[in-house]
Short mmCIF file of all heavy atoms in Angstrom, two decimals:
data_model
loop_
_atom_site.label_atom_id
_atom_site.label_comp_id
_atom_site.label_asym_id
_atom_site.label_seq_id
_atom_site.Cartn_x
_atom_site.Cartn_y
_atom_site.Cartn_z
N HIS A 124 104.75 85.07 91.62
CA HIS A 124 104.66 84.15 92.80
C HIS A 124 103.69 84.67 93.85
O HIS A 124 102.79 84.03 94.32
CB HIS A 124 106.10 83.87 93.37
CG HIS A 124 106.06 82.85 94.37
ND1 HIS A 124 105.90 83.20 95.73
CD2 HIS A 124 106.19 81.53 94.44
CE1 HIS A 124 106.03 82.14 96.50
NE2 HIS A 124 106.19 81.14 95.72
N LEU A 125 103.93 85.94 94.33
CA LEU A 125 103.10 86.54 95.30
C LEU A 125 101.67 86.71 94.81
O LEU A 125 100.66 86.52 95.56
CB LEU A 125 103.67 87.90 95.78
CG LEU A 125 102.91 88.58 96.90
CD1 LEU A 125 102.83 87.72 98.13
CD2 LEU A 125 103.54 89.93 97.17
N HIS A 126 101.52 87.05 93.54
CA HIS A 126 100.17 87.26 92.96
C HIS A 126 99.43 85.94 93.01
O HIS A 126 98.28 85.85 93.42
CB HIS A 126 100.35 87.71 91.52
CG HIS A 126 99.01 87.96 90.83
ND1 HIS A 126 98.38 89.19 90.75
CD2 HIS A 126 98.18 87.07 90.12
CE1 HIS A 126 97.27 89.07 90.08
NE2 HIS A 126 97.09 87.79 89.72
N ALA A 127 100.10 84.82 92.57
CA ALA A 127 99.42 83.51 92.58
C ALA A 127 99.10 83.02 93.99
O ALA A 127 98.04 82.42 94.25
CB ALA A 127 100.32 82.51 91.88
N TYR A 128 100.07 83.23 94.89
CA TYR A 128 99.80 82.87 96.29
C TYR A 128 98.61 83.58 96.87
O TYR A 128 97.75 83.00 97.51
CB TYR A 128 101.09 83.19 97.12
CG TYR A 128 100.87 83.07 98.63
CD1 TYR A 128 100.88 81.88 99.26
CD2 TYR A 128 100.59 84.20 99.39
CE1 TYR A 128 100.66 81.74 100.59
CE2 TYR A 128 100.35 84.11 100.75
CZ TYR A 128 100.37 82.92 101.36
OH TYR A 128 100.14 82.81 102.67
N THR A 129 98.54 84.96 96.62
CA THR A 129 97.42 85.69 97.16
C THR A 129 96.10 85.28 96.54
O THR A 129 95.07 85.20 97.22
CB THR A 129 97.72 87.20 96.90
OG1 THR A 129 98.97 87.55 97.43
CG2 THR A 129 96.60 88.09 97.53
N ARG A 130 96.13 84.98 95.27
CA ARG A 130 94.89 84.45 94.66
C ARG A 130 94.47 83.12 95.27
O ARG A 130 93.25 82.89 95.48
CB ARG A 130 95.10 84.29 93.11
CG ARG A 130 93.87 83.75 92.36
CD ARG A 130 92.75 84.69 92.53
NE ARG A 130 91.40 84.05 92.22
CZ ARG A 130 90.91 84.15 91.05
NH1 ARG A 130 91.48 84.85 90.05
NH2 ARG A 130 89.77 83.49 90.80
N ALA A 131 95.48 82.34 95.61
CA ALA A 131 95.15 81.02 96.26
C ALA A 131 94.59 81.28 97.64
O ALA A 131 93.61 80.61 98.09
CB ALA A 131 96.40 80.13 96.38
N VAL A 132 95.06 82.29 98.39
CA VAL A 132 94.48 82.59 99.66
C VAL A 132 93.05 83.12 99.53
O VAL A 132 92.16 82.75 100.30
CB VAL A 132 95.33 83.70 100.31
CG1 VAL A 132 94.69 84.26 101.58
CG2 VAL A 132 96.74 83.06 100.73
N ILE A 133 92.80 83.96 98.50
CA ILE A 133 91.49 84.48 98.27
C ILE A 133 90.53 83.36 98.01
O ILE A 133 89.40 83.26 98.52
CB ILE A 133 91.48 85.48 97.06
CG1 ILE A 133 92.29 86.71 97.45
CG2 ILE A 133 90.08 85.78 96.60
CD1 ILE A 133 92.57 87.67 96.29
N ASP A 134 90.94 82.47 97.14
CA ASP A 134 90.09 81.30 96.83
C ASP A 134 89.80 80.41 98.03
O ASP A 134 88.78 79.86 98.22
CB ASP A 134 90.67 80.47 95.65
CG ASP A 134 90.70 81.23 94.35
OD1 ASP A 134 89.93 82.23 94.28
OD2 ASP A 134 91.49 80.83 93.42
N ARG A 135 90.89 80.19 98.80
CA ARG A 135 90.81 79.31 99.97
C ARG A 135 89.65 79.73 100.93
O ARG A 135 88.95 78.95 101.45
CB ARG A 135 92.14 79.30 100.72
CG ARG A 135 92.18 78.59 102.01
CD ARG A 135 92.25 77.13 101.84
NE ARG A 135 92.37 76.39 103.17
CZ ARG A 135 92.64 75.09 103.21
NH1 ARG A 135 92.87 74.37 102.13
NH2 ARG A 135 92.67 74.53 104.39
N TYR A 136 89.60 81.06 101.12
CA TYR A 136 88.62 81.54 102.09
C TYR A 136 87.35 82.11 101.44
O TYR A 136 86.46 82.72 102.13
CB TYR A 136 89.30 82.59 103.00
CG TYR A 136 90.47 82.11 103.75
CD1 TYR A 136 91.72 82.55 103.44
CD2 TYR A 136 90.31 81.14 104.71
CE1 TYR A 136 92.85 82.06 104.13
CE2 TYR A 136 91.46 80.64 105.42
CZ TYR A 136 92.72 81.09 105.10
OH TYR A 136 93.78 80.62 105.75
N GLY A 137 87.27 81.97 100.12
CA GLY A 137 86.04 82.45 99.48
C GLY A 137 85.84 83.97 99.61
O GLY A 137 84.76 84.44 99.72
N LEU A 138 86.93 84.76 99.53
CA LEU A 138 86.89 86.20 99.62
C LEU A 138 86.37 86.86 98.35
O LEU A 138 86.63 86.38 97.27
CB LEU A 138 88.26 86.72 99.99
CG LEU A 138 88.90 86.11 101.28
CD1 LEU A 138 90.28 86.75 101.52
CD2 LEU A 138 88.03 86.31 102.48
N PRO A 139 85.63 87.92 98.50
CA PRO A 139 85.09 88.60 97.28
C PRO A 139 86.28 89.19 96.50
O PRO A 139 86.99 90.10 97.00
CB PRO A 139 84.17 89.70 97.89
CG PRO A 139 84.64 89.84 99.31
CD PRO A 139 85.15 88.54 99.72
N LEU A 140 86.42 88.76 95.26
CA LEU A 140 87.51 89.20 94.32
C LEU A 140 86.85 90.22 93.40
O LEU A 140 85.93 89.90 92.61
CB LEU A 140 88.10 88.06 93.66
CG LEU A 140 89.19 88.37 92.66
CD1 LEU A 140 90.40 88.99 93.33
CD2 LEU A 140 89.58 87.09 91.89
N GLU A 141 87.44 91.42 93.33
CA GLU A 141 86.91 92.44 92.40
C GLU A 141 87.78 92.64 91.14
O GLU A 141 87.30 93.05 90.12
CB GLU A 141 86.86 93.79 93.14
CG GLU A 141 85.88 93.81 94.34
CD GLU A 141 85.80 95.17 94.98
OE1 GLU A 141 86.36 96.12 94.48
OE2 GLU A 141 85.12 95.25 96.02
N ALA A 142 89.04 92.36 91.29
CA ALA A 142 89.95 92.55 90.09
C ALA A 142 91.14 91.56 90.21
O ALA A 142 91.66 91.36 91.29
CB ALA A 142 90.46 93.95 90.04
N ASP A 143 91.48 90.99 89.05
CA ASP A 143 92.61 90.11 88.98
C ASP A 143 93.26 90.34 87.68
O ASP A 143 92.74 89.86 86.57
CB ASP A 143 92.14 88.61 89.14
CG ASP A 143 93.29 87.63 89.06
OD1 ASP A 143 94.48 88.06 88.88
OD2 ASP A 143 93.08 86.45 89.22
N GLU A 144 94.38 91.09 87.63
CA GLU A 144 95.02 91.43 86.40
C GLU A 144 96.48 90.99 86.40
O GLU A 144 97.26 91.38 87.30
CB GLU A 144 94.98 92.97 86.15
CG GLU A 144 93.60 93.44 85.85
CD GLU A 144 93.08 93.00 84.49
OE1 GLU A 144 93.94 92.95 83.59
OE2 GLU A 144 91.92 92.78 84.37
N ALA A 145 96.89 90.24 85.37
CA ALA A 145 98.26 89.79 85.28
C ALA A 145 99.29 90.76 84.64
O ALA A 145 100.45 90.52 84.78
CB ALA A 145 98.25 88.43 84.49
N ASP A 146 98.73 91.81 84.05
CA ASP A 146 99.60 92.77 83.37
C ASP A 146 98.82 94.04 83.19
O ASP A 146 98.19 94.26 82.15
CB ASP A 146 100.07 92.26 82.05
CG ASP A 146 101.09 93.21 81.34
OD1 ASP A 146 101.33 94.31 81.86
OD2 ASP A 146 101.61 92.83 80.33
N ILE A 147 98.82 94.92 84.20
CA ILE A 147 97.95 96.07 84.17
C ILE A 147 98.19 97.01 83.09
O ILE A 147 97.26 97.72 82.58
CB ILE A 147 97.86 96.78 85.52
CG1 ILE A 147 99.25 97.37 85.89
CG2 ILE A 147 97.33 95.89 86.62
CD1 ILE A 147 99.25 98.21 87.13
N TYR A 148 99.46 97.13 82.63
CA TYR A 148 99.78 98.09 81.53
C TYR A 148 99.55 97.42 80.19
O TYR A 148 99.01 98.03 79.27
CB TYR A 148 101.20 98.60 81.75
CG TYR A 148 101.43 99.38 82.98
CD1 TYR A 148 102.18 98.81 84.01
CD2 TYR A 148 100.80 100.62 83.17
CE1 TYR A 148 102.37 99.55 85.22
CE2 TYR A 148 100.93 101.33 84.37
CZ TYR A 148 101.78 100.79 85.31
OH TYR A 148 101.97 101.45 86.56
N GLY A 149 99.95 96.12 80.08
CA GLY A 149 99.78 95.47 78.83
C GLY A 149 98.26 95.24 78.45
O GLY A 149 97.92 95.29 77.32
N SER A 150 97.37 95.12 79.48
CA SER A 150 95.98 94.93 79.20
C SER A 150 95.25 96.25 79.15
O SER A 150 94.05 96.28 78.76
CB SER A 150 95.38 94.11 80.39
OG SER A 150 95.41 94.84 81.58
N GLY A 151 95.88 97.35 79.48
CA GLY A 151 95.22 98.67 79.47
C GLY A 151 94.33 98.82 80.71
O GLY A 151 93.52 99.78 80.75
N PHE A 152 94.46 98.00 81.75
CA PHE A 152 93.62 98.08 82.95
C PHE A 152 94.02 99.21 83.85
O PHE A 152 93.19 99.78 84.58
CB PHE A 152 93.71 96.79 83.71
CG PHE A 152 92.81 96.71 84.94
CD1 PHE A 152 91.49 96.34 84.73
CD2 PHE A 152 93.29 96.96 86.19
CE1 PHE A 152 90.62 96.27 85.88
CE2 PHE A 152 92.48 96.92 87.30
CZ PHE A 152 91.12 96.53 87.13
N ALA A 153 95.30 99.60 83.77
CA ALA A 153 95.81 100.64 84.71
C ALA A 153 95.15 102.01 84.42
O ALA A 153 95.21 102.56 83.41
CB ALA A 153 97.33 100.82 84.56
N ASP A 154 94.42 102.49 85.54
CA ASP A 154 93.80 103.80 85.46
C ASP A 154 94.79 104.81 86.04
O ASP A 154 95.93 104.54 86.32
CB ASP A 154 92.44 103.78 86.18
CG ASP A 154 92.60 103.34 87.67
OD1 ASP A 154 93.77 103.26 88.13
OD2 ASP A 154 91.56 103.12 88.26
N GLU A 155 94.28 106.03 86.29
CA GLU A 155 95.14 107.05 86.84
C GLU A 155 95.78 106.68 88.23
O GLU A 155 96.94 106.89 88.46
CB GLU A 155 94.41 108.41 86.99
CG GLU A 155 95.26 109.57 87.51
CD GLU A 155 94.48 110.81 87.61
OE1 GLU A 155 93.24 110.84 87.42
OE2 GLU A 155 95.14 111.83 87.95
N THR A 156 94.96 106.02 89.00
CA THR A 156 95.44 105.60 90.33
C THR A 156 96.48 104.45 90.28
O THR A 156 97.56 104.60 90.82
CB THR A 156 94.25 105.15 91.23
OG1 THR A 156 93.33 106.24 91.40
CG2 THR A 156 94.76 104.67 92.60
N LEU A 157 96.22 103.51 89.51
CA LEU A 157 97.12 102.42 89.35
C LEU A 157 98.43 102.81 88.60
O LEU A 157 99.44 102.11 88.67
CB LEU A 157 96.45 101.20 88.61
CG LEU A 157 95.55 100.31 89.47
CD1 LEU A 157 94.82 99.29 88.61
CD2 LEU A 157 96.38 99.63 90.59
N SER A 158 98.34 103.89 87.85
CA SER A 158 99.52 104.32 87.04
C SER A 158 100.56 105.07 87.90
O SER A 158 101.57 105.48 87.39
CB SER A 158 99.06 105.17 85.86
OG SER A 158 98.29 104.33 84.96
N VAL A 159 100.18 105.36 89.17
CA VAL A 159 101.17 106.04 90.04
C VAL A 159 102.27 105.05 90.20
O VAL A 159 102.06 103.81 90.55
CB VAL A 159 100.54 106.34 91.43
CG1 VAL A 159 101.63 106.84 92.37
CG2 VAL A 159 99.44 107.31 91.28
N LYS A 160 103.50 105.47 89.99
CA LYS A 160 104.71 104.48 89.97
C LYS A 160 105.65 104.82 91.08
O LYS A 160 106.03 105.99 91.30
CB LYS A 160 105.42 104.51 88.64
CG LYS A 160 104.52 104.06 87.48
CD LYS A 160 105.30 104.13 86.18
CE LYS A 160 104.50 103.67 84.99
NZ LYS A 160 103.35 104.59 84.73
N THR A 161 106.09 103.78 91.75
CA THR A 161 107.19 103.90 92.72
C THR A 161 108.53 103.77 91.96
O THR A 161 108.56 103.35 90.79
CB THR A 161 107.13 102.80 93.81
OG1 THR A 161 107.36 101.54 93.22
CG2 THR A 161 105.78 102.78 94.48
N ALA A 162 109.60 104.07 92.63
CA ALA A 162 110.94 103.92 92.01
C ALA A 162 111.15 102.50 91.61
O ALA A 162 111.69 102.13 90.51
CB ALA A 162 112.00 104.44 92.92
N TYR A 163 110.75 101.54 92.50
CA TYR A 163 110.91 100.16 92.25
C TYR A 163 110.12 99.67 90.96
O TYR A 163 110.59 98.99 90.14
CB TYR A 163 110.47 99.26 93.44
CG TYR A 163 111.32 99.35 94.63
CD1 TYR A 163 110.91 99.09 95.86
CD2 TYR A 163 112.67 99.73 94.48
CE1 TYR A 163 111.70 99.13 97.02
CE2 TYR A 163 113.57 99.83 95.59
CZ TYR A 163 113.03 99.51 96.89
OH TYR A 163 113.86 99.61 97.95
N GLU A 164 108.84 100.19 90.93
CA GLU A 164 108.02 99.81 89.78
C GLU A 164 108.64 100.27 88.47
O GLU A 164 108.63 99.55 87.48
CB GLU A 164 106.66 100.37 89.96
CG GLU A 164 105.68 100.08 88.80
CD GLU A 164 104.26 100.54 89.05
OE1 GLU A 164 104.05 101.17 90.06
OE2 GLU A 164 103.46 100.32 88.17
N SER A 165 109.18 101.45 88.46
CA SER A 165 109.78 101.96 87.25
C SER A 165 110.93 101.07 86.79
O SER A 165 111.13 100.79 85.60
CB SER A 165 110.32 103.36 87.46
OG SER A 165 109.20 104.25 87.74
N ARG A 166 111.72 100.60 87.76
CA ARG A 166 112.86 99.73 87.40
C ARG A 166 112.30 98.40 86.90
O ARG A 166 112.88 97.79 85.91
CB ARG A 166 113.66 99.48 88.65
CG ARG A 166 114.44 100.65 89.20
CD ARG A 166 115.21 100.30 90.39
NE ARG A 166 115.70 101.45 91.15
CZ ARG A 166 116.33 101.47 92.29
NH1 ARG A 166 116.61 100.25 92.82
NH2 ARG A 166 116.67 102.52 92.86
N PHE A 167 111.28 97.86 87.50
CA PHE A 167 110.79 96.56 87.07
C PHE A 167 110.18 96.72 85.61
O PHE A 167 110.35 95.79 84.76
CB PHE A 167 109.61 96.11 87.95
CG PHE A 167 110.09 95.80 89.35
CD1 PHE A 167 109.30 96.12 90.48
CD2 PHE A 167 111.32 95.20 89.62
CE1 PHE A 167 109.76 95.79 91.78
CE2 PHE A 167 111.80 94.92 90.89
CZ PHE A 167 110.99 95.26 91.94
#
């Protein structure tokens, strides 16, 4: 929900979008930085 809302905000104002990933681990997009996990993320 928040992802889609934020994408709508980006589109609304024509902001420069560099990356839009719906599943960073499933797609293999997660690099070393994105793979840092919070406790909440591990639970999710």
Side-chain angles (χ1 to χ4, degrees):
H124 183 269
L125 182 61
H126 182 95
Y128 169 81
T129 305
R130 180 57 198 267
V132 170
I133 292 169
D134 292 343
R135 172 78 176 191
Y136 301 112
L138 304 180
L140 177 64
E141 297 181 8
D143 180 359
E144 290 291 325
D146 183 356
I147 61 172
Y148 297 111
S150 68
F152 184 83
D154 57 12
E155 183 180 4
T156 299
L157 280 174
S158 294
V159 176
K160 296 180 180 65
T161 67
Y163 290 157
E164 180 175 358
S165 296
R166 295 180 193 177
F167 297 143

